[in-house]
DNA sequence: GTCTATAGCGTGATAGAC
DNA sequence: GTCTATCACGCTATAGAC
């Protein structure tokens, strides 16, 4: 093992550019292989759910032997965590257009609608990230911290959470939220509400009595509504706002929520 | 197979009481065995999580061979569904003391607090019921319908949901909820909110920034609060209300949320 | 790097003796 | 009813040839 590393270092110092070219190509190829593996894994999860994700299946899909996968990932769990990171990044991308909305209440509502839309459009991905193993869910924050060049994970690291707190602060500054309100608590509770709407839809589809949009709008109005441009708590027959529709348009489709569930068994 | 059934019928008609006594004792023993199996299964789930539940482990616990379990349950899934039914019934029991609260808003709040308290106190059970397989979650409603002597499952079958709708209706009759509000939508969204608070705590413990009680109270105030006996959206430093504490006192403890997670693998 | 082969463990469910 | 024995799988991960 050590001799290999030594050889590489020797080439870098002694032979200059061509060797660097080699090393670069090497690492590029390795990176490409990692992507191929993750691509295959993501497709399996989207089609059949996380429980059906196995090293054998991934290997089949990329046309390598199962053993080869271990050259790029230490374990199945590491692949799962990578998928979570990827998926969470995808969720954050969804929020980008929302960030431009000037009014903080409307921004928060659009955020909530985009969040729910993502979960419903990518049920298996959402399940993997937020409804599976706590260690997977924790992985999204750790990697978010790494991306920010921080070594420790603390309260304000997460971009999505920060967006919420910022909007709530703006609302509070406008006097549209009581000065006594604790922003962190509010953000957490608001996130939980949106998560609950998605999670309940995914794991109890039969529970759904009303259209998703009405439920989401009712919740958003209860939290943020009425204080500005419509009546308190009034839930009309209207469809999702243009913002939500727009957010939905950016989504790739996952497998349907109920169809692919229940593979032979984990 | 047929001959056995025939013999039973013959005894019932011909020899009268003693035979009935036999049959009764037989069925009693069978029922007892079912209970023993479910008890063992419940303990395993509470200690190690549902993923760790296997027929072998149950068999070990009840000191029978794995094969014998199949005389009482057709499959592992059937045991899981039975556990869900049981767990949901336990949740409903939790609501009994709450039903007496006269004020509908306070009743709803107490309901929400009891719900969350149950989920936090029995994380593995809650996971099994509401966060695992949609077919498990669906099972609670089906059996609830059976208990009510109904053959079809429709909107209003569920006792918990009915409690919510009733309270919301009372609120609406008092003019404390806009006449335009759709009760079904409100109940669904409110349930989703409470579910989200529990589910997020269970699957993303690191996310928790504030005390559970503050989050719950903030959510309940956003939905129902302020319109009556305290300021709008004011979240004080107070602890859980007596109602919630009371509800908690009725709970049996599950395994801790994070400790027993992640058994070798499903 | 990639393969084959396999260790080592687990699972749900069943056949058939007693 | 209860058991033993086993089928038929599945899995992760690794050893060692090439």
């Amino acid at each position: 093992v050590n001799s290999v590393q030594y050889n590489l270092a020797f080439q870098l110092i002694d032979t200059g550019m061509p060797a660097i070219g080699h090393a670069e190509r090497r690492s590029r190829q390795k990176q490409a292989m990692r992507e191929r593996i993750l691509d295959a894994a993501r497709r399996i999860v989207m089609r059949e759910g996380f429980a059906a994700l196995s090293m054998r299946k991934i290997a089949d899909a990329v046309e390598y032997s199962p053993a080869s996968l271990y050259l790029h990932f230490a374990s199945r769990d590491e692949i799962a965590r990578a998928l979570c990171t990827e998926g969470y990044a995808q969720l954050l991308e969804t929020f980008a257009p929302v960030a431009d909305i000037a009014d903080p209440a409307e921004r928060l509502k659009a955020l909530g609608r985009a969040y729910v839309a993502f979960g419903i459009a990518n049920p298996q991905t959402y399940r993997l990230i937020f409804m599976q193993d706590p260690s997977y869910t924790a992985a999204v924050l750790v990697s978010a911290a790494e991306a920010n060049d921080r070594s420790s994970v603390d309260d304000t690291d997460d971009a999505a959470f920060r967006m919420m707190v910022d909007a709530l602060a703006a609302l509070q500054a406008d006097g549209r939220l009581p000065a006594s309100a604790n922003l962190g608590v509010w953000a957490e509770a608001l996130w939980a509400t949106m998560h609950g709407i998605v999670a309940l839809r995914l794991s109890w589809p039969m529970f759904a009595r009303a259209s998703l949009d009405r439920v989401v709008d009712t919740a958003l109005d209860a939290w943020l509504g009425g204080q500005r441009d419509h009546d308190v708590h009034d839930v009309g027959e209207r469809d999702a706002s243009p913002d939500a529709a727009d957010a939905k348009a950016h989504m790739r489709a996952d497998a349907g929520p109920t169809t692919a569930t229940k593979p032979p068994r984990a």
Side-chain angles (χ1 to χ4, degrees), chain A:
Chain A
V1 172
N2 279 340
S3 69
V4 172
Q5 291 180 336
Y6 189 82
N7 280 344
L8 268 173
F10 178 78
Q11 287 180 332
L12 282 167
I13 296 170
D14 192 84
T15 60
M17 288 306 280
I20 291 180
H22 274 169
E24 237 171 43
R25 227 186 58 172
R26 264 287 191 262
S27 102
R28 250 187 243 286
Q29 280 177 349
K30 235 186 136 93
Q31 192 56 37
M33 189 60 201
R34 264 185 78 101
E35 296 290 345
R36 280 189 60 195
I37 292 171
L38 286 182
D39 270 16
R42 192 178 345 96
R43 269 197 299 275
I44 293 168
V45 168
M46 291 194 312
R47 266 204 324 269
E48 315 173 49
F50 172 66
L53 182 72
S54 74
M55 298 305 266
R56 282 160 149 82
K57 262 189 202 159
I58 301 173
D60 276 2
V62 297
E63 299 188 284
Y64 276 81
S65 82
S68 297
L69 302 183
Y70 290 91
L71 297 173
H72 302 90
F73 292 93
S75 68
R76 173 182 176 266
D77 261 31
E78 197 178 295
I79 295 180
R81 275 191 293 270
L83 287 181
C84 288
T85 303
E86 222 184 58
Y88 191 71
Q90 200 187 333
L91 171 62
L92 287 184
E93 280 172 30
T94 285
F95 294 161
V98 165
D100 298 330
I101 299 174
D103 181 71
E106 290 308 315
R107 191 160 73 247
L108 274 172
K109 288 184 184 183
L111 210 55
R113 292 196 195 97
Y115 183 93
V116 172
F118 178 87
I120 299 297
N122 306 66
Q124 303 289 11
T125 302
Y126 191 88
R127 287 189 93 101
L128 174 59
I129 299 180
F130 290 114
M131 301 167 67
Q132 215 72 40
D133 191 298
S135 88
Y136 296 162
T137 311
V140 309
L141 263 205
V142 171
S143 62
E146 279 168 4
N148 287 343
D149 285 333
R150 306 234 197 152
S151 52
S152 81
V153 183
D154 67 346
D155 291 323
T156 52
D157 263 344
D158 180 56
F161 195 77
R162 211 163 37 228
M163 279 182 78
M164 294 181 72
V165 172
D166 287 350
L168 286 170
L171 221 51
Q172 202 172 40
D174 281 8
R176 293 196 276 163
L177 200 71
S180 64
N182 180 305
L183 301 185
V185 175
W186 264 70
E188 187 177 336
L190 200 46
W191 190 319
T193 301
M194 295 302 126
H195 171 65
I197 292 175
V198 176
L200 210 53
R201 273 319 228 241
L202 296 189
S203 51
W204 201 2
M206 282 183 57
F207 180 79
R209 279 130 171 120
S211 98
L212 178 65
D213 288 328
R214 288 193 69 182
V215 174
V216 172
D217 284 344
T218 303
L220 289 173
D221 276 349
W223 281 99
L224 309 161
Q227 308 187 8
R228 197 175 152 81
D229 42 7
H230 24 51
D231 295 339
V232 181
H233 296 141
D234 180 14
V235 181
E237 296 296 327
R238 67 199 149 88
D239 261 318
S241 80
D243 305 308
D246 188 49
K248 267 183 202 162
H250 290 112
M251 314 273 155
R252 246 176 318 172
D254 240 0
T258 5
T259 44
T261 332
K262 208 74 213 267
R265 189 165 125 61

